[in-house]
Short mmCIF file of all heavy atoms in Angstrom, two decimals:
data_model
loop_
_atom_site.label_atom_id
_atom_site.label_comp_id
_atom_site.label_asym_id
_atom_site.label_seq_id
_atom_site.Cartn_x
_atom_site.Cartn_y
_atom_site.Cartn_z
N SER W 30 132.23 147.18 92.78
CA SER W 30 131.67 145.97 93.36
C SER W 30 132.09 145.75 94.81
O SER W 30 131.49 144.91 95.49
CB SER W 30 132.07 144.76 92.53
OG SER W 30 133.48 144.61 92.53
N VAL W 31 133.07 146.49 95.30
CA VAL W 31 133.55 146.28 96.67
C VAL W 31 133.35 147.49 97.57
O VAL W 31 133.65 147.41 98.76
CB VAL W 31 135.03 145.86 96.69
CG1 VAL W 31 135.27 144.65 95.78
CG2 VAL W 31 135.95 147.01 96.32
N LYS W 32 132.87 148.58 97.02
CA LYS W 32 132.67 149.79 97.83
C LYS W 32 131.77 149.50 99.01
O LYS W 32 130.73 148.87 98.87
CB LYS W 32 132.08 150.91 96.97
CG LYS W 32 133.08 151.54 96.02
CD LYS W 32 132.43 152.64 95.18
CE LYS W 32 133.44 153.26 94.23
NZ LYS W 32 132.82 154.26 93.33
N GLY W 33 132.20 149.97 100.17
CA GLY W 33 131.41 149.78 101.38
C GLY W 33 131.68 148.46 102.08
O GLY W 33 131.22 148.25 103.20
N ARG W 34 132.42 147.57 101.42
CA ARG W 34 132.70 146.25 102.03
C ARG W 34 134.19 146.03 102.27
O ARG W 34 134.57 145.35 103.22
CB ARG W 34 132.18 145.13 101.11
CG ARG W 34 130.68 145.18 100.87
CD ARG W 34 130.20 143.92 100.13
NE ARG W 34 130.80 143.80 98.80
CZ ARG W 34 131.51 142.74 98.40
NH1 ARG W 34 131.72 141.73 99.22
NH2 ARG W 34 132.00 142.69 97.17
N PHE W 35 135.01 146.57 101.40
CA PHE W 35 136.46 146.39 101.50
C PHE W 35 137.12 147.70 101.91
O PHE W 35 136.66 148.79 101.53
CB PHE W 35 137.05 145.96 100.16
CG PHE W 35 136.67 144.56 99.72
CD1 PHE W 35 135.69 143.83 100.35
CD2 PHE W 35 137.34 143.99 98.63
CE1 PHE W 35 135.36 142.55 99.93
CE2 PHE W 35 137.02 142.72 98.20
CZ PHE W 35 136.03 142.00 98.84
N THR W 36 138.24 147.58 102.63
CA THR W 36 139.00 148.75 103.04
C THR W 36 140.48 148.50 102.80
O THR W 36 141.02 147.49 103.27
CB THR W 36 138.77 149.07 104.52
OG1 THR W 36 137.39 149.28 104.76
CG2 THR W 36 139.54 150.34 104.92
N ILE W 37 141.12 149.41 102.10
CA ILE W 37 142.55 149.32 101.88
C ILE W 37 143.25 150.23 102.87
O ILE W 37 142.76 151.31 103.22
CB ILE W 37 142.93 149.70 100.43
CG1 ILE W 37 144.40 149.42 100.15
CG2 ILE W 37 142.58 151.16 100.13
CD1 ILE W 37 144.79 149.57 98.69
N SER W 38 144.40 149.77 103.35
CA SER W 38 145.20 150.59 104.27
C SER W 38 146.67 150.27 104.04
O SER W 38 147.00 149.32 103.33
CB SER W 38 144.79 150.33 105.72
OG SER W 38 145.01 148.98 106.08
N ARG W 39 147.51 151.08 104.67
CA ARG W 39 148.94 150.88 104.51
C ARG W 39 149.66 151.27 105.78
O ARG W 39 149.20 152.15 106.52
CB ARG W 39 149.48 151.69 103.32
CG ARG W 39 149.34 153.20 103.47
CD ARG W 39 149.64 153.92 102.16
NE ARG W 39 151.05 153.78 101.79
CZ ARG W 39 151.51 154.04 100.57
NH1 ARG W 39 150.68 154.44 99.62
NH2 ARG W 39 152.81 153.92 100.32
N ASP W 40 150.78 150.64 106.03
CA ASP W 40 151.64 150.96 107.16
C ASP W 40 153.03 151.17 106.59
O ASP W 40 153.73 150.20 106.27
CB ASP W 40 151.62 149.82 108.19
CG ASP W 40 152.38 150.16 109.45
OD1 ASP W 40 153.35 150.94 109.39
OD2 ASP W 40 152.04 149.62 110.51
N ASN W 41 153.41 152.43 106.44
CA ASN W 41 154.70 152.72 105.82
C ASN W 41 155.87 152.23 106.67
O ASN W 41 156.91 151.84 106.14
CB ASN W 41 154.84 154.21 105.56
CG ASN W 41 153.97 154.68 104.41
OD1 ASN W 41 153.49 153.88 103.60
ND2 ASN W 41 153.74 155.98 104.34
N ALA W 42 155.72 152.24 107.98
CA ALA W 42 156.80 151.78 108.85
C ALA W 42 157.06 150.28 108.66
O ALA W 42 158.20 149.83 108.76
CB ALA W 42 156.47 152.08 110.30
N LYS W 43 155.99 149.55 108.40
CA LYS W 43 156.12 148.10 108.18
C LYS W 43 156.21 147.75 106.70
O LYS W 43 156.31 146.56 106.37
CB LYS W 43 154.93 147.38 108.82
CG LYS W 43 154.86 147.49 110.32
CD LYS W 43 153.68 146.71 110.89
CE LYS W 43 153.65 146.80 112.41
NZ LYS W 43 152.48 146.06 112.97
N THR W 44 156.16 148.75 105.85
CA THR W 44 156.14 148.56 104.38
C THR W 44 155.18 147.45 103.99
O THR W 44 155.52 146.52 103.25
CB THR W 44 157.55 148.30 103.81
OG1 THR W 44 158.09 147.08 104.34
CG2 THR W 44 158.49 149.44 104.12
N THR W 45 153.96 147.58 104.50
CA THR W 45 152.93 146.58 104.27
C THR W 45 151.61 147.26 103.93
O THR W 45 151.27 148.28 104.54
CB THR W 45 152.75 145.69 105.52
OG1 THR W 45 153.99 145.04 105.82
CG2 THR W 45 151.67 144.64 105.30
N SER W 46 150.91 146.70 102.96
CA SER W 46 149.56 147.16 102.68
C SER W 46 148.58 146.06 103.09
O SER W 46 148.95 144.88 103.19
CB SER W 46 149.37 147.51 101.21
OG SER W 46 149.42 146.36 100.39
N TYR W 47 147.34 146.46 103.32
CA TYR W 47 146.32 145.54 103.79
C TYR W 47 145.04 145.73 102.99
O TYR W 47 144.75 146.83 102.51
CB TYR W 47 146.01 145.79 105.27
CG TYR W 47 147.21 145.71 106.17
CD1 TYR W 47 147.89 146.87 106.53
CD2 TYR W 47 147.66 144.49 106.65
CE1 TYR W 47 149.01 146.81 107.35
CE2 TYR W 47 148.78 144.42 107.48
CZ TYR W 47 149.44 145.59 107.83
OH TYR W 47 150.55 145.52 108.65
N LEU W 48 144.29 144.66 102.88
CA LEU W 48 142.96 144.73 102.31
C LEU W 48 142.02 144.00 103.26
O LEU W 48 142.07 142.78 103.36
CB LEU W 48 142.91 144.10 100.91
CG LEU W 48 141.56 144.23 100.21
CD1 LEU W 48 141.30 145.70 99.82
CD2 LEU W 48 141.51 143.35 98.96
N GLN W 49 141.22 144.78 103.98
CA GLN W 49 140.22 144.21 104.87
C GLN W 49 138.96 143.97 104.07
O GLN W 49 138.40 144.90 103.49
CB GLN W 49 139.94 145.16 106.03
CG GLN W 49 138.89 144.64 106.99
CD GLN W 49 139.35 143.42 107.77
OE1 GLN W 49 140.45 143.41 108.32
NE2 GLN W 49 138.52 142.39 107.81
N MET W 50 138.51 142.73 104.02
CA MET W 50 137.35 142.36 103.23
C MET W 50 136.25 141.86 104.17
O MET W 50 136.48 140.93 104.95
CB MET W 50 137.71 141.26 102.23
CG MET W 50 138.89 141.63 101.34
SD MET W 50 139.24 140.42 100.07
CE MET W 50 139.81 139.05 101.07
N THR W 51 135.10 142.47 104.09
CA THR W 51 133.96 142.07 104.92
C THR W 51 132.76 141.78 104.03
O THR W 51 132.75 142.11 102.84
CB THR W 51 133.59 143.17 105.93
OG1 THR W 51 133.19 144.34 105.21
CG2 THR W 51 134.78 143.52 106.81
N SER W 52 131.74 141.17 104.61
CA SER W 52 130.51 140.82 103.87
C SER W 52 130.85 140.14 102.56
O SER W 52 130.31 140.48 101.50
CB SER W 52 129.67 142.07 103.63
OG SER W 52 129.32 142.71 104.84
N LEU W 53 131.74 139.18 102.63
CA LEU W 53 132.21 138.53 101.41
C LEU W 53 131.09 137.76 100.71
O LEU W 53 130.20 137.19 101.36
CB LEU W 53 133.38 137.60 101.73
CG LEU W 53 134.71 138.33 101.95
CD1 LEU W 53 135.70 137.46 102.70
CD2 LEU W 53 135.29 138.76 100.61
N LYS W 54 131.19 137.75 99.39
CA LYS W 54 130.20 137.09 98.54
C LYS W 54 130.91 136.05 97.68
O LYS W 54 132.11 136.18 97.40
CB LYS W 54 129.53 138.11 97.63
CG LYS W 54 128.90 139.29 98.35
CD LYS W 54 128.38 140.31 97.35
CE LYS W 54 127.78 141.52 98.04
NZ LYS W 54 127.27 142.53 97.07
N PRO W 55 130.18 135.05 97.21
CA PRO W 55 130.81 134.06 96.33
C PRO W 55 131.47 134.69 95.11
O PRO W 55 132.51 134.20 94.63
CB PRO W 55 129.65 133.14 95.93
CG PRO W 55 128.73 133.21 97.12
CD PRO W 55 128.81 134.64 97.59
N GLU W 56 130.90 135.79 94.62
CA GLU W 56 131.49 136.45 93.44
C GLU W 56 132.79 137.17 93.76
O GLU W 56 133.46 137.68 92.85
CB GLU W 56 130.49 137.42 92.81
CG GLU W 56 129.84 138.40 93.76
CD GLU W 56 128.47 137.92 94.24
OE1 GLU W 56 128.33 136.72 94.59
OE2 GLU W 56 127.55 138.77 94.29
N ASP W 57 133.19 137.23 95.02
CA ASP W 57 134.50 137.77 95.38
C ASP W 57 135.60 136.72 95.22
O ASP W 57 136.78 137.05 95.38
CB ASP W 57 134.50 138.27 96.83
CG ASP W 57 133.58 139.47 97.04
OD1 ASP W 57 133.58 140.37 96.18
OD2 ASP W 57 132.88 139.50 98.07
N THR W 58 135.22 135.50 94.93
CA THR W 58 136.21 134.43 94.73
C THR W 58 137.13 134.78 93.57
O THR W 58 136.66 135.06 92.46
CB THR W 58 135.50 133.09 94.46
OG1 THR W 58 134.77 132.72 95.64
CG2 THR W 58 136.50 132.01 94.10
N ALA W 59 138.43 134.77 93.84
CA ALA W 59 139.42 135.16 92.83
C ALA W 59 140.82 134.99 93.42
O ALA W 59 140.97 134.77 94.62
CB ALA W 59 139.22 136.62 92.41
N VAL W 60 141.79 135.14 92.56
CA VAL W 60 143.17 135.31 93.02
C VAL W 60 143.39 136.81 93.19
O VAL W 60 143.11 137.59 92.27
CB VAL W 60 144.19 134.73 92.04
CG1 VAL W 60 145.61 134.98 92.53
CG2 VAL W 60 143.95 133.24 91.84
N TYR W 61 143.87 137.19 94.35
CA TYR W 61 144.10 138.60 94.67
C TYR W 61 145.59 138.90 94.60
O TYR W 61 146.41 138.17 95.18
CB TYR W 61 143.55 138.91 96.06
CG TYR W 61 142.05 139.01 96.10
CD1 TYR W 61 141.25 137.89 95.94
CD2 TYR W 61 141.41 140.25 96.25
CE1 TYR W 61 139.86 137.99 95.95
CE2 TYR W 61 140.03 140.35 96.26
CZ TYR W 61 139.26 139.22 96.11
OH TYR W 61 137.89 139.32 96.11
N TYR W 62 145.90 139.99 93.92
CA TYR W 62 147.28 140.42 93.73
C TYR W 62 147.50 141.80 94.34
O TYR W 62 146.68 142.70 94.14
CB TYR W 62 147.62 140.51 92.24
CG TYR W 62 147.47 139.22 91.48
CD1 TYR W 62 146.26 138.87 90.90
CD2 TYR W 62 148.56 138.36 91.31
CE1 TYR W 62 146.13 137.70 90.18
CE2 TYR W 62 148.43 137.18 90.59
CZ TYR W 62 147.21 136.85 90.03
OH TYR W 62 147.08 135.68 89.32
N CYS W 63 148.59 141.96 95.04
CA CYS W 63 148.92 143.31 95.51
C CYS W 63 149.94 143.93 94.56
O CYS W 63 150.68 143.22 93.86
CB CYS W 63 149.46 143.29 96.93
SG CYS W 63 151.06 142.51 97.17
#
């Protein structure tokens, strides 16, 4: 459901992961957990 719209990435130096979400839809409404 998110292919082509969301991108996951990581920065090992910062020990941080990211989720870039674009073209958001109402059905994307949720609690997001890493």
Side-chain angles (χ1 to χ4, degrees):
S30 62
V31 306
K32 285 179 180 176
R34 299 189 297 123
F35 291 11
T36 302
I37 188 171
S38 61
R39 63 191 293 164
D40 186 331
N41 287 344
K43 296 182 178 179
T44 63
T45 300
S46 69
Y47 305 96
L48 184 69
Q49 179 68 48
M50 305 185 293
T51 63
S52 301
L53 282 161
K54 305 175 182 180
E56 50 264 44
D57 294 318
T58 295
V60 178
Y61 284 70
Y62 300 89
C63 67

